[in-house]
Amino acid sequence: MKNLVILGAGTGGTIMASRLVGPLRKRGWKITVVDKDDRHYYQPGFLLVPFGIYKAEDLVRRRSSLLPKGVNFVVAEVEEIKPQSKRIKLADGEEISYDLLLIATGTHIRPEETPGVLDGWRKNVFDYYTIDGAQVLADKLKEFREGTLVVHVAEMPIKCNVSPLEFTFLADWYFRKRGVRDNIRLVYVTPISGAFTRPVATRYLGDLQAKKKIEVESFFLTERVDPTAGKVVCYDGREVAFDLLVTVPPNFGAEVIRRSGLGDEMNYVPVDESGFRSEKYADIFVIGDASASDWTKAGSVVHFQSEILDKIILAEIDGRPVELRFDGHANCFIETGFGKAVVIDYNHEIEPLPGKFPLPLVGPMSLLKETRINHWSKLAFEWVYWHWLLRGRSVPFVPALMSMRGKKDVRGKTS
Ligand SMILES: Cc1cc2nc3c(=O)[nH]c(=O)nc-3n(C[C@H](O)[C@H](O)[C@H](O)COP(=O)(O)OP(=O)(O)OC[C@H]3O[C@@H](n4cnc5c(N)ncnc54)[C@H](O)[C@@H]3O)c2cc1C
Protein backbone atom coordinates (compact mmCIF):
# COMPACT_ATOMS: atom_id res chain seq x y z
CA MET A 1 0.00 0.00 0.00
CA LYS A 2 1.41 3.41 -0.95
CA ASN A 3 1.94 5.88 1.85
CA LEU A 4 1.40 9.65 2.10
CA VAL A 5 3.38 10.78 5.13
CA ILE A 6 2.41 14.10 6.72
CA LEU A 7 4.96 15.72 9.05
CA GLY A 8 3.16 17.81 11.67
CA ALA A 9 -0.39 17.44 13.01
CA GLY A 10 -1.05 21.14 13.54
CA THR A 11 -3.47 23.19 11.46
CA GLY A 12 -2.19 22.19 8.02
CA GLY A 13 -1.36 18.54 8.73
CA THR A 14 -4.75 17.88 10.33
CA ILE A 15 -6.79 19.65 7.64
CA MET A 16 -4.94 17.84 4.86
CA ALA A 17 -5.32 14.43 6.51
CA SER A 18 -9.07 15.11 6.86
CA ARG A 19 -9.47 16.23 3.25
CA LEU A 20 -7.42 13.38 1.77
CA VAL A 21 -8.24 10.32 3.88
CA GLY A 22 -11.37 9.36 1.88
CA PRO A 23 -10.04 10.00 -1.65
CA LEU A 24 -6.75 8.25 -0.84
CA ARG A 25 -8.44 5.19 0.65
CA LYS A 26 -10.36 4.81 -2.65
CA ARG A 27 -7.04 4.89 -4.50
CA GLY A 28 -5.47 2.25 -2.26
CA TRP A 29 -3.21 4.67 -0.39
CA LYS A 30 -2.75 5.10 3.36
CA ILE A 31 -1.85 8.22 5.36
CA THR A 32 0.70 8.36 8.18
CA VAL A 33 0.85 11.54 10.29
CA VAL A 34 3.77 12.25 12.64
CA ASP A 35 3.92 14.87 15.39
CA LYS A 36 6.17 15.22 18.41
CA ASP A 37 3.27 15.30 20.87
CA ASP A 38 -0.47 14.66 21.17
CA ARG A 39 -1.52 18.20 22.14
CA HIS A 40 -3.05 20.44 19.49
CA TYR A 41 -3.38 24.04 20.70
CA TYR A 42 -5.63 26.65 19.11
CA GLN A 43 -2.82 29.18 18.66
CA PRO A 44 -4.99 32.28 17.98
CA GLY A 45 -6.23 31.81 21.57
CA PHE A 46 -2.69 32.43 22.94
CA LEU A 47 -3.28 36.15 22.39
CA LEU A 48 -6.20 36.16 24.81
CA VAL A 49 -4.51 34.21 27.63
CA PRO A 50 -2.42 37.15 28.98
CA PHE A 51 -5.64 39.15 29.39
CA GLY A 52 -7.38 36.40 31.36
CA ILE A 53 -9.95 35.71 28.60
CA TYR A 54 -8.78 32.12 28.06
CA LYS A 55 -6.83 29.60 30.11
CA ALA A 56 -4.44 27.07 28.57
CA GLU A 57 -6.84 24.16 29.18
CA ASP A 58 -9.57 25.92 27.11
CA LEU A 59 -7.36 25.85 24.03
CA VAL A 60 -6.10 22.28 23.77
CA ARG A 61 -7.40 19.03 22.27
CA ARG A 62 -5.74 15.67 21.64
CA ARG A 63 -4.36 15.50 18.12
CA SER A 64 -5.43 11.86 17.93
CA SER A 65 -9.07 12.88 18.48
CA LEU A 66 -8.90 15.52 15.73
CA LEU A 67 -7.30 13.37 13.05
CA PRO A 68 -9.76 11.38 10.93
CA LYS A 69 -10.31 7.65 11.45
CA GLY A 70 -8.15 5.48 9.25
CA VAL A 71 -5.04 7.65 9.59
CA ASN A 72 -2.00 6.13 11.26
CA PHE A 73 -0.84 8.69 13.87
CA VAL A 74 2.72 8.38 15.20
CA VAL A 75 3.80 10.48 18.19
CA ALA A 76 7.53 11.05 17.67
CA GLU A 77 10.02 13.79 16.88
CA VAL A 78 11.11 13.68 13.25
CA GLU A 79 14.89 13.72 13.24
CA GLU A 80 15.64 13.71 9.53
CA ILE A 81 14.02 13.61 6.11
CA LYS A 82 15.96 11.45 3.64
CA PRO A 83 14.65 12.42 0.19
CA GLN A 84 17.07 10.14 -1.70
CA SER A 85 15.75 6.98 -0.04
CA LYS A 86 12.23 8.46 0.49
CA ARG A 87 12.32 7.78 4.22
CA ILE A 88 11.97 9.79 7.38
CA LYS A 89 13.96 9.01 10.49
CA LEU A 90 12.39 9.42 13.92
CA ALA A 91 14.24 10.41 17.12
CA ASP A 92 14.23 6.77 18.35
CA GLY A 93 15.98 5.67 15.13
CA GLU A 94 12.93 4.07 13.53
CA GLU A 95 12.37 4.89 9.86
CA ILE A 96 9.15 5.30 7.88
CA SER A 97 9.11 5.19 4.09
CA TYR A 98 6.90 7.40 1.97
CA ASP A 99 5.69 7.63 -1.59
CA LEU A 100 4.68 11.27 -1.19
CA LEU A 101 5.68 13.54 1.69
CA LEU A 102 3.78 16.58 2.96
CA ILE A 103 5.71 18.92 5.25
CA ALA A 104 3.49 20.81 7.71
CA THR A 105 6.01 21.49 10.47
CA GLY A 106 5.09 25.17 10.91
CA THR A 107 7.24 27.86 12.47
CA HIS A 108 8.25 28.64 16.04
CA ILE A 109 9.94 31.43 18.01
CA ARG A 110 13.69 31.62 18.59
CA PRO A 111 14.23 34.20 21.40
CA GLU A 112 17.96 33.40 21.50
CA GLU A 113 18.35 35.08 18.07
CA THR A 114 18.07 38.58 19.61
CA PRO A 115 21.07 39.39 21.84
CA GLY A 116 20.05 40.06 25.44
CA VAL A 117 16.51 38.68 25.27
CA LEU A 118 17.26 35.49 27.22
CA ASP A 119 18.92 37.51 30.03
CA GLY A 120 15.55 39.00 30.90
CA TRP A 121 13.41 36.06 29.79
CA ARG A 122 10.25 35.84 31.87
CA LYS A 123 11.63 38.41 34.34
CA ASN A 124 10.93 41.64 32.45
CA VAL A 125 10.92 40.17 28.90
CA PHE A 126 7.94 38.00 27.96
CA ASP A 127 6.31 36.34 24.97
CA TYR A 128 2.82 35.10 24.19
CA TYR A 129 3.66 32.98 21.11
CA THR A 130 3.96 29.89 23.31
CA ILE A 131 1.30 28.71 25.73
CA ASP A 132 3.79 28.76 28.63
CA GLY A 133 4.80 32.32 27.78
CA ALA A 134 1.18 33.47 27.53
CA GLN A 135 0.37 31.99 30.96
CA VAL A 136 3.35 33.55 32.73
CA LEU A 137 2.59 36.88 31.07
CA ALA A 138 -1.00 36.72 32.39
CA ASP A 139 0.38 36.74 35.95
CA LYS A 140 2.79 39.57 35.13
CA LEU A 141 0.10 41.78 33.55
CA LYS A 142 -2.14 41.35 36.60
CA GLU A 143 0.45 43.06 38.77
CA PHE A 144 1.56 45.69 36.20
CA ARG A 145 0.02 49.00 37.29
CA GLU A 146 2.43 51.70 36.05
CA GLY A 147 5.38 52.22 33.72
CA THR A 148 6.11 51.57 30.06
CA LEU A 149 4.90 48.44 28.30
CA VAL A 150 6.64 47.91 24.97
CA VAL A 151 5.18 45.46 22.45
CA HIS A 152 8.05 44.53 20.20
CA VAL A 153 8.39 42.67 16.90
CA ALA A 154 12.00 41.59 16.44
CA GLU A 155 11.79 40.87 12.71
CA MET A 156 9.45 39.75 9.94
CA PRO A 157 8.08 37.36 8.83
CA ILE A 158 6.17 36.14 11.86
CA LYS A 159 3.07 34.00 11.97
CA CYS A 160 -0.11 36.06 12.35
CA ASN A 161 1.59 39.37 11.58
CA VAL A 162 -1.31 41.41 13.03
CA SER A 163 -1.31 39.71 16.42
CA PRO A 164 1.22 42.10 18.10
CA LEU A 165 -0.93 44.99 16.95
CA GLU A 166 -3.95 43.27 18.52
CA PHE A 167 -1.90 42.85 21.68
CA THR A 168 -1.48 46.64 21.94
CA PHE A 169 -5.22 47.24 21.45
CA LEU A 170 -6.12 44.60 24.02
CA ALA A 171 -3.54 45.95 26.48
CA ASP A 172 -5.12 49.41 26.14
CA TRP A 173 -8.58 47.89 26.87
CA TYR A 174 -7.27 45.71 29.74
CA PHE A 175 -5.50 48.57 31.55
CA ARG A 176 -8.46 50.93 31.05
CA LYS A 177 -10.84 48.31 32.47
CA ARG A 178 -8.60 48.11 35.54
CA GLY A 179 -8.38 51.90 35.86
CA VAL A 180 -4.59 52.09 35.47
CA ARG A 181 -4.24 53.10 31.81
CA ASP A 182 -3.32 56.71 32.64
CA ASN A 183 -0.24 55.43 34.52
CA ILE A 184 0.95 53.24 31.63
CA ARG A 185 2.72 54.25 28.44
CA LEU A 186 2.08 51.82 25.57
CA VAL A 187 4.65 51.65 22.78
CA TYR A 188 4.55 49.49 19.64
CA VAL A 189 8.00 48.79 18.17
CA THR A 190 8.00 47.31 14.68
CA PRO A 191 10.52 46.71 11.88
CA ILE A 192 7.93 47.73 9.26
CA SER A 193 6.61 51.18 8.34
CA GLY A 194 3.65 51.18 10.72
CA ALA A 195 0.61 49.22 11.81
CA PHE A 196 0.48 47.10 8.62
CA THR A 197 2.44 46.54 5.43
CA ARG A 198 -0.03 48.17 3.00
CA PRO A 199 -1.16 51.82 2.83
CA VAL A 200 -4.96 51.71 3.28
CA ALA A 201 -4.86 49.37 6.29
CA THR A 202 -1.82 51.15 7.77
CA ARG A 203 -3.73 54.43 7.65
CA TYR A 204 -6.87 52.98 9.27
CA LEU A 205 -5.09 50.94 11.94
CA GLY A 206 -2.53 53.71 12.58
CA ASP A 207 -5.40 56.13 13.26
CA LEU A 208 -6.87 53.61 15.72
CA GLN A 209 -3.52 53.36 17.49
CA ALA A 210 -3.28 57.16 17.73
CA LYS A 211 -6.86 57.37 19.06
CA LYS A 212 -5.95 54.85 21.76
CA LYS A 213 -2.72 56.72 22.59
CA ILE A 214 -0.47 53.88 21.50
CA GLU A 215 2.91 55.25 20.43
CA VAL A 216 4.56 53.68 17.39
CA GLU A 217 8.29 53.29 16.74
CA SER A 218 8.56 52.10 13.11
CA PHE A 219 11.42 50.86 10.88
CA PHE A 220 13.03 49.62 14.09
CA LEU A 221 15.64 46.99 13.26
CA THR A 222 16.55 45.53 16.62
CA GLU A 223 20.25 45.22 17.42
CA ARG A 224 19.82 44.04 21.02
CA VAL A 225 17.72 44.11 24.13
CA ASP A 226 19.22 45.27 27.43
CA PRO A 227 16.91 43.94 30.17
CA THR A 228 19.05 45.37 33.00
CA ALA A 229 18.89 48.92 31.68
CA GLY A 230 15.36 48.23 30.39
CA LYS A 231 15.81 49.23 26.75
CA VAL A 232 15.54 47.94 23.20
CA VAL A 233 18.32 49.19 20.92
CA CYS A 234 17.99 49.76 17.17
CA TYR A 235 20.85 49.46 14.66
CA ASP A 236 20.36 53.16 13.80
CA GLY A 237 21.08 54.15 17.44
CA ARG A 238 17.47 54.68 18.62
CA GLU A 239 16.63 53.29 22.05
CA VAL A 240 13.19 52.55 23.48
CA ALA A 241 12.95 52.26 27.27
CA PHE A 242 10.67 49.67 28.89
CA ASP A 243 9.60 48.40 32.28
CA LEU A 244 7.94 45.40 30.69
CA LEU A 245 8.80 44.06 27.24
CA VAL A 246 6.41 41.78 25.35
CA THR A 247 8.39 40.56 22.40
CA VAL A 248 7.62 38.47 19.35
CA PRO A 249 11.02 36.85 18.76
CA PRO A 250 12.25 35.86 15.28
CA ASN A 251 10.25 32.98 13.81
CA PHE A 252 12.10 30.03 12.23
CA GLY A 253 11.04 26.84 10.50
CA ALA A 254 11.67 23.45 12.13
CA GLU A 255 15.25 22.33 12.77
CA VAL A 256 14.58 19.06 10.95
CA ILE A 257 14.25 21.06 7.71
CA ARG A 258 17.79 22.43 8.15
CA ARG A 259 19.21 19.06 9.22
CA SER A 260 17.73 17.49 6.09
CA GLY A 261 19.17 20.14 3.75
CA LEU A 262 15.70 21.17 2.58
CA GLY A 263 15.49 24.74 3.88
CA ASP A 264 16.67 28.30 3.37
CA GLU A 265 18.58 30.30 6.02
CA MET A 266 15.42 30.52 8.18
CA ASN A 267 14.70 26.77 7.79
CA TYR A 268 11.74 27.38 5.49
CA VAL A 269 11.25 25.11 2.47
CA PRO A 270 11.57 26.87 -0.93
CA VAL A 271 8.69 25.93 -3.24
CA ASP A 272 7.92 26.03 -6.98
CA GLU A 273 5.52 28.47 -8.67
CA SER A 274 2.42 26.48 -7.63
CA GLY A 275 3.46 27.38 -4.09
CA PHE A 276 3.40 23.82 -2.77
CA ARG A 277 6.09 21.60 -4.29
CA SER A 278 9.64 21.56 -2.94
CA GLU A 279 12.01 23.17 -5.43
CA LYS A 280 14.42 20.29 -4.89
CA TYR A 281 12.19 17.20 -4.78
CA ALA A 282 9.02 16.67 -6.82
CA ASP A 283 7.59 14.14 -4.33
CA ILE A 284 7.74 16.57 -1.39
CA PHE A 285 4.93 19.09 -0.83
CA VAL A 286 4.71 21.86 1.77
CA ILE A 287 1.73 23.57 3.40
CA GLY A 288 1.44 26.48 5.80
CA ASP A 289 4.05 28.26 7.86
CA ALA A 290 6.83 25.80 6.91
CA SER A 291 6.93 27.21 3.38
CA ALA A 292 9.47 29.80 2.20
CA SER A 293 6.82 31.45 -0.01
CA ASP A 294 6.20 35.09 0.86
CA TRP A 295 2.54 34.49 1.68
CA THR A 296 1.24 35.53 5.08
CA LYS A 297 1.87 32.88 7.73
CA ALA A 298 -1.61 32.33 9.17
CA GLY A 299 -4.17 29.63 9.81
CA SER A 300 -6.56 31.23 7.31
CA VAL A 301 -3.90 30.89 4.60
CA VAL A 302 -3.37 27.22 5.50
CA HIS A 303 -7.10 26.61 5.19
CA PHE A 304 -7.29 28.32 1.76
CA GLN A 305 -4.18 26.45 0.60
CA SER A 306 -5.71 23.11 1.58
CA GLU A 307 -8.55 23.63 -0.91
CA ILE A 308 -6.01 23.83 -3.75
CA LEU A 309 -3.34 21.43 -2.49
CA ASP A 310 -5.70 18.47 -2.08
CA LYS A 311 -6.51 18.68 -5.81
CA ILE A 312 -2.81 18.95 -6.74
CA ILE A 313 -1.91 15.87 -4.65
CA LEU A 314 -4.79 13.81 -6.07
CA ALA A 315 -3.82 14.80 -9.62
CA GLU A 316 -0.23 13.76 -8.84
CA ILE A 317 -1.39 10.36 -7.57
CA ASP A 318 -3.67 9.88 -10.61
CA GLY A 319 -0.93 11.00 -13.01
CA ARG A 320 -3.13 13.83 -14.33
CA PRO A 321 -1.65 17.23 -15.29
CA VAL A 322 -2.83 20.13 -13.14
CA GLU A 323 -2.24 23.85 -13.44
CA LEU A 324 -3.58 25.04 -10.10
CA ARG A 325 -1.73 27.57 -8.05
CA PHE A 326 -2.46 29.51 -4.87
CA ASP A 327 -2.63 33.32 -4.83
CA GLY A 328 -1.69 34.07 -1.19
CA HIS A 329 -5.26 34.84 -0.09
CA ALA A 330 -5.36 35.67 3.65
CA ASN A 331 -7.87 37.03 6.06
CA CYS A 332 -7.45 38.02 9.68
CA PHE A 333 -9.50 39.30 12.55
CA ILE A 334 -7.89 42.14 14.51
CA GLU A 335 -9.24 42.48 18.05
CA THR A 336 -9.37 46.16 18.97
CA GLY A 337 -10.69 45.86 22.54
CA PHE A 338 -14.01 46.86 24.12
CA GLY A 339 -15.82 43.98 22.37
CA LYS A 340 -14.91 45.09 18.85
CA ALA A 341 -12.70 43.81 16.04
CA VAL A 342 -11.61 44.67 12.50
CA VAL A 343 -11.52 42.13 9.66
CA ILE A 344 -9.08 42.28 6.74
CA ASP A 345 -9.09 40.19 3.55
CA TYR A 346 -6.18 40.51 1.11
CA ASN A 347 -3.32 39.05 -0.90
CA HIS A 348 -0.20 40.47 -2.59
CA GLU A 349 -2.13 42.11 -5.42
CA ILE A 350 -5.13 43.34 -3.46
CA GLU A 351 -4.42 45.10 -0.19
CA PRO A 352 -6.97 45.12 2.67
CA LEU A 353 -9.87 47.37 1.59
CA PRO A 354 -13.12 48.45 3.26
CA GLY A 355 -16.39 46.72 2.44
CA LYS A 356 -18.56 43.81 3.54
CA PHE A 357 -17.48 40.20 4.09
CA PRO A 358 -18.10 37.45 3.08
CA LEU A 359 -21.31 38.54 1.29
CA PRO A 360 -21.40 41.83 -0.67
CA LEU A 361 -23.76 44.40 0.94
CA VAL A 362 -24.93 41.87 3.56
CA GLY A 363 -21.72 41.04 5.41
CA PRO A 364 -22.39 40.33 8.23
CA MET A 365 -18.75 41.26 8.84
CA SER A 366 -17.32 44.65 7.89
CA LEU A 367 -13.87 45.03 6.37
CA LEU A 368 -11.42 47.58 7.78
CA LYS A 369 -13.99 48.78 10.30
CA GLU A 370 -14.34 48.16 14.04
CA THR A 371 -17.60 46.34 14.77
CA ARG A 372 -19.10 44.11 17.43
CA ILE A 373 -20.15 41.50 14.84
CA ASN A 374 -16.50 41.18 13.78
CA HIS A 375 -15.56 40.52 17.40
CA TRP A 376 -18.28 37.91 17.90
CA SER A 377 -17.25 36.30 14.62
CA LYS A 378 -13.67 36.04 15.88
CA LEU A 379 -14.83 34.33 19.07
CA ALA A 380 -17.12 32.00 17.07
CA PHE A 381 -14.22 31.15 14.82
CA GLU A 382 -12.73 28.93 17.49
CA TRP A 383 -15.72 26.59 17.19
CA VAL A 384 -15.40 26.71 13.39
CA TYR A 385 -11.72 25.77 13.72
CA TRP A 386 -12.24 22.67 15.86
CA HIS A 387 -15.47 21.40 14.32
CA TRP A 388 -15.32 22.53 10.72
CA LEU A 389 -11.88 23.43 9.37
CA LEU A 390 -9.89 20.65 11.04
CA ARG A 391 -12.53 18.20 9.75
CA GLY A 392 -11.53 19.27 6.24
CA ARG A 393 -14.68 21.24 5.46
CA SER A 394 -14.80 24.47 3.45
CA VAL A 395 -16.39 27.61 4.88
CA PRO A 396 -19.51 28.57 2.89
CA PHE A 397 -19.26 31.81 0.86
CA VAL A 398 -15.52 32.19 1.59
CA PRO A 399 -13.60 31.22 -1.58
CA ALA A 400 -10.04 29.92 -1.37
CA LEU A 401 -8.81 32.46 -3.93
CA MET A 402 -8.90 36.22 -3.41
CA SER A 403 -11.98 38.07 -4.64
CA MET A 404 -12.95 41.77 -4.91
CA ARG A 405 -16.59 40.87 -4.10
CA GLY A 406 -17.99 43.25 -1.48
CA LYS A 407 -14.87 45.42 -1.44
CA LYS A 408 -14.69 49.15 -2.08
CA ASP A 409 -11.63 50.19 -4.06
CA VAL A 410 -10.27 53.23 -2.21
CA ARG A 411 -6.68 52.74 -3.30
CA GLY A 412 -4.94 56.01 -4.10
CA LYS A 413 -7.66 58.07 -2.35
CA THR A 414 -6.81 59.93 0.84
CA SER A 415 -9.32 59.91 3.67
C1 LIG B 1 -0.32 34.13 19.17
C2 LIG B 1 -0.78 33.62 17.85
C3 LIG B 1 -1.95 34.12 17.31
C4 LIG B 1 -2.40 33.68 16.07
N1 LIG B 1 -3.57 34.19 15.57
C5 LIG B 1 -4.01 33.80 14.37
C6 LIG B 1 -5.24 34.31 13.84
O1 LIG B 1 -5.94 35.09 14.50
N2 LIG B 1 -5.61 33.91 12.60
C7 LIG B 1 -4.86 33.04 11.86
O2 LIG B 1 -5.25 32.71 10.74
N3 LIG B 1 -3.69 32.52 12.34
C8 LIG B 1 -3.26 32.88 13.56
N4 LIG B 1 -2.10 32.36 14.07
C9 LIG B 1 -1.22 31.54 13.20
C10 LIG B 1 -1.68 30.11 13.03
O3 LIG B 1 -1.86 29.48 14.29
C11 LIG B 1 -0.61 29.36 12.23
O4 LIG B 1 -0.30 30.11 11.07
C12 LIG B 1 -1.07 27.98 11.81
O5 LIG B 1 -1.30 27.18 12.93
C13 LIG B 1 -0.02 27.33 10.90
O6 LIG B 1 -0.34 26.00 10.66
P1 LIG B 1 0.83 24.98 10.27
O7 LIG B 1 0.16 23.68 10.04
O8 LIG B 1 1.69 25.54 9.22
O9 LIG B 1 1.73 24.91 11.59
P2 LIG B 1 1.32 24.45 13.07
O10 LIG B 1 -0.16 24.48 13.23
O11 LIG B 1 2.13 25.29 14.00
O12 LIG B 1 1.79 22.93 13.14
C14 LIG B 1 3.14 22.53 13.04
C15 LIG B 1 3.26 21.16 13.71
O13 LIG B 1 4.50 20.56 13.36
C16 LIG B 1 4.98 19.84 14.49
N5 LIG B 1 6.42 19.66 14.35
C17 LIG B 1 7.36 20.61 14.08
N6 LIG B 1 8.58 20.05 14.01
C18 LIG B 1 8.42 18.72 14.23
C19 LIG B 1 9.32 17.61 14.29
N7 LIG B 1 10.65 17.76 14.09
N8 LIG B 1 8.82 16.39 14.56
C20 LIG B 1 7.48 16.21 14.76
N9 LIG B 1 6.59 17.22 14.71
C21 LIG B 1 7.05 18.45 14.44
C22 LIG B 1 4.61 20.75 15.67
O14 LIG B 1 4.56 20.03 16.88
C23 LIG B 1 3.23 21.27 15.24
O15 LIG B 1 2.18 20.48 15.73
C24 LIG B 1 -1.65 32.73 15.35
C25 LIG B 1 -0.48 32.20 15.91
C26 LIG B 1 -0.06 32.63 17.15
C27 LIG B 1 1.19 32.04 17.75
Side-chain angles (χ1 to χ4, degrees):
M1 209 178 203
K2 292 200 170 179
N3 196 12
L4 167 72
V5 174
I6 302 179
L7 303 185
T11 311
T14 307
I15 294 179
M16 288 305 293
S18 297
R19 294 185 79 89
L20 287 173
V21 67
L24 256 60
R25 192 184 296 124
K26 283 194 200 131
R27 288 163 170 83
W29 279 58
K30 64 178 177 177
I31 298 181
T32 304
V33 182
V34 188
D35 204 299
K36 52 183 152 204
D37 60 45
D38 193 15
R39 290 185 310 278
H40 184 133
Y41 279 97
Y42 177 63
Q43 297 179 49
F46 292 1
L47 171 74
L48 304 178
V49 171
F51 304 104
I53 300 167
Y54 279 130
K55 297 222 176 312
E57 57 269 27
D58 304 330
L59 301 173
V60 67
R61 303 268 196 286
R62 288 169 65 98
R63 299 187 198 279
S64 42
S65 71
L66 298 167
L67 287 164
K69 286 200 175 59
V71 159
N72 175 29
F73 179 45
V74 178
V75 179
E77 170 106 29
V78 181
E79 174 110 350
E80 194 187 342
I81 300 162
K82 300 177 168 179
Q84 309 294 348
S85 57
K86 297 179 72 132
R87 298 174 83 80
I88 59 153
K89 186 177 163 205
L90 306 179
D92 65 5
E94 200 195 316
E95 297 203 351
I96 298 174
S97 57
Y98 63 81
D99 295 280
L100 285 180
L101 185 70
L102 174 58
I103 296 177
T105 43
T107 182
H108 62 282
I109 57 161
R110 292 245 304 246
E112 69 277 14
E113 293 292 322
T114 309
V117 160
L118 288 186
D119 300 334
W121 196 236
R122 306 209 171 147
K123 293 176 214 142
N124 59 350
V125 180
F126 290 79
D127 85 292
Y128 65 94
Y129 264 52
T130 55
I131 191 62
D132 299 352
Q135 283 176 294
V136 187
L137 179 56
D139 294 335
K140 187 74 187 172
L141 284 188
K142 262 191 238 158
E143 69 194 34
F144 193 73
R145 308 189 69 80
E146 59 182 353
T148 302
L149 167 62
V150 172
V151 180
H152 165 250
V153 182
E155 61 181 50
M156 292 289 187
I158 56 169
K159 53 181 156 183
C160 195
N161 53 13
V162 292
S163 114
L165 183 68
E166 289 181 276
F167 194 99
T168 60
F169 291 140
L170 288 172
D172 169 70
W173 159 77
Y174 178 80
F175 293 132
R176 276 188 204 285
K177 199 177 60 153
R178 291 173 50 220
V180 295
R181 178 66 173 97
D182 290 345
N183 309 328
I184 293 171
R185 209 180 134 212
L186 259 179
V187 188
Y188 182 56
V189 175
T190 171
I192 62 173
S193 61
F196 196 71
T197 44
R198 314 290 284 280
V200 177
T202 300
R203 208 159 52 227
Y204 178 79
L205 295 165
D207 286 350
L208 261 186
Q209 285 184 309
K211 213 168 82 188
K212 292 174 188 285
K213 296 195 168 48
I214 297 162
E215 298 167 43
V216 180
E217 206 53 67
S218 53
F219 294 118
F220 196 97
L221 303 180
T222 305
E223 184 200 322
R224 67 191 164 90
V225 168
D226 182 340
T228 313
K231 60 184 184 184
V232 192
V233 182
C234 180
Y235 276 106
D236 65 11
R238 274 179 292 162
E239 296 185 348
V240 176
F242 66 83
D243 295 292
L244 175 59
L245 182 70
V246 175
T247 186
V248 180
N251 284 202
F252 276 73
E255 269 298 291
V256 62
I257 304 299
R258 186 191 57 75
R259 280 199 296 270
S260 310
L262 283 168
D264 62 12
E265 68 285 356
M266 309 273 297
N267 303 344
Y268 294 126
V269 186
V271 285
D272 70 358
E273 68 282 355
S274 77
F276 297 110
R277 206 186 284 264
S278 153
E279 266 179 10
K280 278 192 178 169
Y281 300 98
D283 49 10
I284 299 183
F285 293 90
V286 190
I287 188 166
D289 297 350
S291 162
S293 67
D294 53 7
W295 299 326
T296 304
K297 295 191 184 301
S300 62
V301 174
V302 177
H303 154 227
F304 295 141
Q305 286 179 325
S306 73
E307 298 190 11
I308 313 274
L309 180 57
D310 60 352
K311 295 174 187 67
I312 294 179
I313 290 182
L314 290 177
E316 172 78 19
I317 288 173
D318 295 345
R320 284 181 282 117
V322 71
E323 295 259 321
L324 290 170
R325 58 175 63 184
F326 184 54
D327 65 352
H329 182 202
N331 60 34
C332 305
F333 293 96
I334 304 171
E335 277 294 307
T336 53
F338 302 94
K340 291 185 182 172
V342 172
V343 176
I344 54 174
D345 188 65
Y346 65 102
N347 72 356
H348 276 301
E349 279 75 47
I350 301 172
E351 63 180 295
L353 295 168
K356 290 288 184 187
F357 185 81
L359 296 173
L361 304 174
V362 178
M365 286 178 265
S366 302
L367 296 169
L368 262 195
K369 188 177 172 190
E370 265 192 302
T371 71
R372 285 189 194 285
I373 289 184
N374 289 348
H375 166 72
W376 288 113
S377 304
K378 169 143 183 158
L379 294 188
F381 188 77
E382 190 200 338
W383 187 93
V384 175
Y385 182 81
W386 293 123
H387 300 281
W388 202 263
L389 294 184
L390 292 186
R391 306 286 175 203
R393 297 176 181 137
S394 306
V395 179
F397 310 117
V398 182
L401 297 179
M402 183 69 198
S403 153
M404 272 301 282
R405 275 189 343 153
K407 299 189 174 69
K408 208 166 127 200
D409 197 349
V410 295
R411 285 172 285 186
K413 298 181 186 140
T414 48
S415 55

